[in-house]
Amino acid sequence: MLWNPEIETMPRHELEKLQVERLRRTVERVYQHVPFYRQKLDEAGIGPAEIRSVADLARLPFTNKQDLRDNYPFGLFAVPKDEIVRVHASSGTTGKMTVVGYTKSDVNTWAEVMARTMACGGVTNKDTVQVAYGYGLFTGGLGAHYGAEKIGAAVIPISGGNTKRQLQIMADFGTTAVACTPSYSLFMAETAAEEGIDLHQLPVRVGFFGAEPWSNAMRREIEEKWGIKAIDIYGLSEVMGPGVASECMVQDGLHVWEDHFMVEVIDPATGEVLPYGEKGELVFTCITKEALPLIRYRTRDISILSNGTCACGRTHLRMHRVMGRTDDMLIIRGVNVFPSQIESVLLEIGETEPHYQLIVDREGNLDDLEIWVEISERLFSDEVRKLEQIEGRIRREIQSTLGISARVKLVEPKTIARSEGKAKRVIDWRDVYSDGNR
Amino acid sequence: MKVKQISIFLENQSGRLARVTKTLGDHHINIRALSIADTTDFGILRLIVSDPEKAWGVLKEQGYTVSATEIIAVQVPDHPGGLAEILQVLDDCGINIEYMYAFVGRSGNDAVVVFRVENIDRAIELLQQKDVKLLCGKEVYNV
Ligand SMILES: [Zn+2]
């Protein structure tokens, strides 16, 4: 289902024309109103007038998270404070918060792209959407809320947590669509099983999952347990919040809403733009935002872009589901390892719940990886030999797909801390060493 | 002639076994026999208890990974070579023993040994043909 057919299926040359025009206006805006950008653009030797094609995007300087922190809280805003109608912030695990602002028009744009996202999963005004993303400074809850409301669906703004009540409301209110993090959806499924609730009996038929990287195997697990279609959605507060890109029902990559956000994939080491089909770091440029139009914002998310019209008819570029983050990336004995790769292996083995933790340590000068995998009912056998076979299989699969050796340890259920938001997948003791804390 | 055994996954950490036995005790479940198979990281605790259904339920409720398997309990004549005779019967019939352990209590004057075998129905049939005394669930749970 298309929400805005004219834009979503716009021929590429027209879309690019629109982008160039909007990009030039955005660069003009930041050049005039944001001293930080004026200086950076001057240093790069490029001005608004020189933007004539989409290729000129690559000549603009990058922005990164540190720039937002250095200009905390409002230094990168391109409008006076009285035009700001909303402020969100994300508290990073380290350092200062990142603050983002929206004008009235920005909030409308946000609702528009989230409406397209929900329409991607077939949501109409007849649906009831349960928003179980957190509301508050985090953009997830309100972003999903505004999008669903714009479509005219009935919104249940329940926010995250209180899982038993979530399930009760789902059954009582007839929720047809749910929006939350993928790991929380599995947490809910676990709770449902404990409570004896059969998710397949609920009217939920689609879920919008984002805010953390997940794998295709995890998608299958969610779809199976819930009996729904699981749509991968993407966004980040610096660019907009949720609604930057979304999968359609074809589930073959996430459509980036390119009339609002230009997207590139770069080599994280050199900053060079990579061709479609190559893996690298996602970079977004906001071309319609008024309050905080970031230029070439480096996301640290690893993905691949692909072009070509999708089977759904949309012409916007598609990004591969996020495969990890440049800052999540572990280097183990010189090999780049993303937790999501390990997750894929565990799920491909097919018998384990996706509850795992990676523990990285250093023995002498050698990195050492231990993978804790929670034992599940399906996996358990009363014979030691069979459990050891499972450990061995996981170890061999990791070795053959990632090229690293790891110790696999089966642990009791609930050993690994559950989170109602993002799951903590990695404990890296090597970092602690350098602080001298251990 | 099948006996229900409860198996529990345990990490190799102190206090784990005590916690399981306390849970069972709190629910007035008696342990008739037990064995632990362990590796460096984990162990499998196998139990024959007075009320397997109830034990399975309370342990699951406590969040343990529990499974129920069927085993056979054999009354072994209490004289030298008694166990050897029974093992010979199984071996002659080509029945592979996954694991076995002995009973804590006694039934009459004879010792009781518990076997987990691959094809339990066939094993029961063959042992009965050879007049080996098998115990049924009720006899074991209520020793
Ligand atoms: Zn599509």
Side-chain angles (χ1 to χ4, degrees):
Chain A
M1 225 193 72
L2 303 167
W3 172 252
N4 188 339
E6 193 202 328
I7 290 282
E8 290 175 58
T9 64
M10 189 176 252
R12 290 234 42 106
H13 65 276
E14 277 181 46
L15 184 58
E16 288 186 7
K17 230 176 92 188
L18 184 69
Q19 286 182 316
V20 176
E21 207 177 289
R22 289 180 170 179
L23 177 63
R24 188 177 2 173
R25 277 212 304 266
T26 300
V27 174
E28 240 163 44
R29 166 188 285 278
V30 296
Y31 192 85
Q32 278 172 24
H33 300 292
V34 188
F36 166 84
Y37 276 123
R38 177 188 298 247
Q39 191 191 335
K40 279 193 113 175
L41 289 162
D42 282 344
E43 277 167 17
I46 180 167
E50 281 147 90
I51 295 181
R52 295 183 200 96
S53 76
V54 285
D56 292 322
L57 179 63
R59 298 167 59 199
L60 297 171
F62 290 115
T63 311
N64 59 40
K65 201 164 192 120
Q66 193 54 45
D67 295 326
L68 282 158
R69 293 198 184 114
D70 292 347
N71 292 281
Y72 175 90
F74 307 131
L76 294 184
F77 283 18
V79 293
K81 193 70 188 305
D82 53 7
E83 284 182 40
I84 300 289
V85 300
R86 179 93 67 76
V87 175
H88 282 280
S90 62
S91 58
T93 42
T94 52
K96 264 185 196 158
M97 281 195 294
T98 315
V99 182
V100 295
Y102 303 77
T103 64
K104 202 163 221 161
S105 147
D106 290 338
V107 172
N108 284 337
T109 303
W110 192 10
E112 158 73 18
V113 291
M114 265 318 279
R116 288 185 204 170
T117 296
M118 296 254 164
C120 267
V123 169
T124 68
N125 59 0
K126 294 186 174 56
D127 279 290
T128 300
V129 182
Q130 187 156 330
V131 179
Y133 281 114
Y135 280 66
L137 284 178
F138 171 58
T139 49
L142 282 165
H145 183 110
Y146 274 57
E149 207 166 74
K150 192 177 175 87
I151 287 182
V155 185
I156 305 173
I158 190 163
S159 194
N162 211 339
T163 311
K164 284 182 195 169
R165 195 163 64 119
Q166 296 263 5
L167 294 163
Q168 185 67 49
I169 282 177
M170 245 172 229
D172 294 350
F173 297 7
T175 301
T176 53
V178 64
C180 63
T181 61
S183 64
Y184 188 52
S185 80
L186 284 173
F187 183 85
M188 278 200 259
E190 214 172 74
T191 308
E194 281 164 13
E195 297 290 299
I197 298 166
D198 181 5
L199 292 176
H200 289 252
Q201 298 300 316
L202 296 181
V204 183
R205 59 174 168 76
V206 65
F208 298 91
F209 303 112
E212 66 187 12
W214 51 311
S215 63
N216 246 325
M218 190 160 165
R219 185 221 297 280
R220 281 199 296 276
E221 172 131 14
I222 294 171
E223 291 192 332
E224 221 171 83
K225 285 194 168 156
W226 281 81
I228 61 171
K229 194 104 171 169
I231 299 288
D232 188 10
I233 69 170
Y234 177 81
L236 64 171
S237 62
E238 297 89 321
V239 176
M240 182 56 98
V244 173
S246 172
E247 262 181 353
C248 59
M249 292 299 255
V250 180
Q251 294 180 317
D252 184 24
L254 292 79
H255 294 280
V256 178
W257 307 124
E258 280 188 282
D259 52 324
H260 296 290
F261 319 108
M262 287 176 82
V263 62
E264 303 161 276
V265 156
I266 61 162
D267 179 330
T270 64
E272 182 201 344
V273 178
L274 299 172
Y276 297 141
E278 278 190 34
K279 184 154 77 168
E281 180 180 349
L282 284 168
V283 172
F284 288 97
T285 300
C286 312
I287 51 174
T288 54
K289 255 172 95 187
E290 294 179 344
L292 185 63
L294 295 183
I295 304 292
R296 300 193 86 200
Y297 183 71
R298 293 184 61 157
T299 62
R300 297 183 178 183
D301 285 331
I302 303 286
S303 182
I304 294 171
L305 288 179
S306 62
N307 58 349
T309 305
C310 177
C312 70
R314 292 180 179 89
T315 51
H316 294 223
L317 290 179
R318 276 168 286 164
M319 53 177 264
H320 190 286
R321 64 168 56 248
V322 172
M323 299 145 115
R325 290 176 58 78
T326 55
D327 51 1
D328 253 14
M329 189 176 75
L330 287 164
I331 300 176
I332 296 170
R333 274 170 249 149
V335 181
N336 296 353
V337 176
F338 292 101
S340 55
Q341 290 176 294
I342 305 235
E343 181 171 310
S344 292
V345 168
L346 290 177
L347 288 155
E348 290 301 336
I349 284 175
E351 294 170 74
T352 55
E353 304 279 329
H355 292 302
Y356 68 96
Q357 200 157 50
L358 309 181
I359 293 140
V360 193
D361 211 333
R362 187 161 284 159
E363 298 263 341
N365 287 318
L366 268 187
D367 295 328
D368 190 59
L369 174 64
E370 188 164 275
I371 304 170
W372 286 17
V373 183
E374 278 188 8
I375 189 99
S376 68
E377 207 84 345
R378 272 174 299 167
L379 198 71
F380 182 51
S381 156
D382 67 330
E383 289 171 53
V384 170
R385 181 168 51 96
K386 290 192 180 150
L387 292 184
E388 284 179 338
Q389 276 168 5
I390 289 161
E391 285 184 335
R393 237 176 99 204
I394 296 171
R395 200 167 48 235
R396 282 192 304 277
E397 284 293 315
I398 300 278
Q399 174 76 53
S400 76
T401 52
L402 299 175
I404 51 164
S405 57
R407 258 203 321 276
V408 175
K409 185 175 163 184
L410 295 178
V411 296
E412 284 173 29
K414 317 268 162 133
T415 302
I416 296 160
R418 297 294 192 277
S419 128
E420 297 193 345
K422 302 185 185 198
K424 178 150 178 71
R425 296 304 192 194
V426 180
I427 293 177
D428 195 340
W429 290 110
R430 297 174 304 178
D431 295 338
V432 179
Y433 278 149
S434 56
D435 292 337
N437 287 335
R438 191 173 174 234
Chain B
M1 282 305 157
K2 291 172 193 169
V3 177
K4 269 234 164 68
Q5 172 197 264
I6 302 293
S7 309
I8 304 123
F9 181 91
L10 289 181
E11 273 172 53
N12 267 355
Q13 279 179 28
S14 59
R16 286 295 205 275
L17 184 56
R19 250 179 52 205
V20 171
T21 51
K22 181 164 189 316
T23 300
L24 294 175
D26 288 348
H27 289 85
H28 310 291
I29 298 164
N30 259 330
I31 297 170
R32 303 294 181 206
L34 96 174
S35 107
I36 299 172
D38 66 346
T39 68
T40 343
D41 294 331
F42 64 83
I44 300 168
L45 172 65
R46 301 166 186 140
L47 294 172
I48 311 264
V49 294
S50 54
D51 188 344
E53 304 267 323
K54 190 175 168 193
W56 188 82
V58 298
L59 289 170
K60 260 196 84 74
E61 209 168 89
Q62 297 277 316
Y64 290 100
T65 304
V66 192
S67 77
T69 31
E70 288 178 323
I71 46 109
I72 45 181
V74 177
Q75 199 162 317
V76 181
D78 193 15
H79 61 74
L83 179 59
E85 284 162 26
I86 288 169
L87 292 177
Q88 192 62 49
V89 171
L90 291 169
D91 192 37
D92 289 348
C93 303
I95 292 170
N96 202 32
I97 300 168
E98 306 280 357
Y99 56 78
M100 57 179 278
Y101 53 98
F103 229 74
V104 180
R106 274 173 164 264
S107 166
N109 287 324
D110 296 336
V112 175
V113 175
V114 162
F115 290 98
R116 166 96 146 97
V117 293
E118 244 164 39
N119 189 339
I120 188 165
D121 291 316
R122 192 157 158 269
I124 290 172
E125 203 184 303
L126 293 164
L127 288 167
Q128 280 175 334
Q129 274 170 21
K130 299 278 179 186
D131 285 331
V132 172
K133 177 129 201 277
L134 295 173
L135 299 176
C136 68
K138 264 194 189 129
E139 287 174 274
V140 174
Y141 310 145
N142 306 318
V143 173

